[in-house]
Amino acid sequence: MGEDPAEVFAELPPVEDYIVKALHDDALESEGQLQQYSLARLLAQDPDRPDRAEHEAAADRVDERLYRAIGIAYPTLARAAWRAIAGLPSQRA
């Protein structure tokens, strides 16, 4: 679309972030929590739900636990795992 490739690539997250996300998703699936997690994230997006914050907090706790485990298990991905934790909704508030 006529954009400078150097500018586009500079805006992309580091490859490590994608790897951490893939490991996170694999862990959710291997623990059999993918459907529950996805439902909690979906319900947390509904501003009319009175229990919205509870669903968001529950999903954030799962995310934090998995990202910490990834950071510990893969030291070369630790910074990307901590960035993922810092990006959680509960961490931004």
Side-chain angles (χ1 to χ4, degrees):
M1 298 187 61
E3 297 179 60
D4 182 0
E7 290 178 18
V8 172
F9 284 113
E11 295 174 7
L12 293 175
V15 172
E16 291 84 1
D17 291 359
Y18 291 109
I19 295 169
V20 166
K21 179 65 175 141
L23 290 169
H24 169 274
D25 293 347
D26 287 347
L28 273 175
E29 205 168 329
S30 71
E31 291 181 3
Q33 291 187 347
L34 187 57
Q35 290 176 336
Q36 274 185 296
Y37 173 84
S38 298
L39 180 60
R41 281 286 176 218
L42 181 67
L43 295 174
Q45 293 176 6
D46 183 354
D48 297 328
R49 289 193 67 87
D51 58 351
R52 175 181 187 256
E54 294 168 25
H55 290 293
E56 184 172 63
D60 284 354
R61 283 191 302 273
V62 170
D63 282 340
E64 188 170 352
R65 178 179 59 81
L66 293 177
Y67 288 136
R68 284 187 188 284
I70 291 166
I72 292 168
Y74 303 95
T76 57
L77 297 174
R79 285 185 183 209
W82 305 152
R83 273 194 306 272
I85 291 170
L88 294 173
S90 62
Q91 299 297 317
R92 288 180 272 175

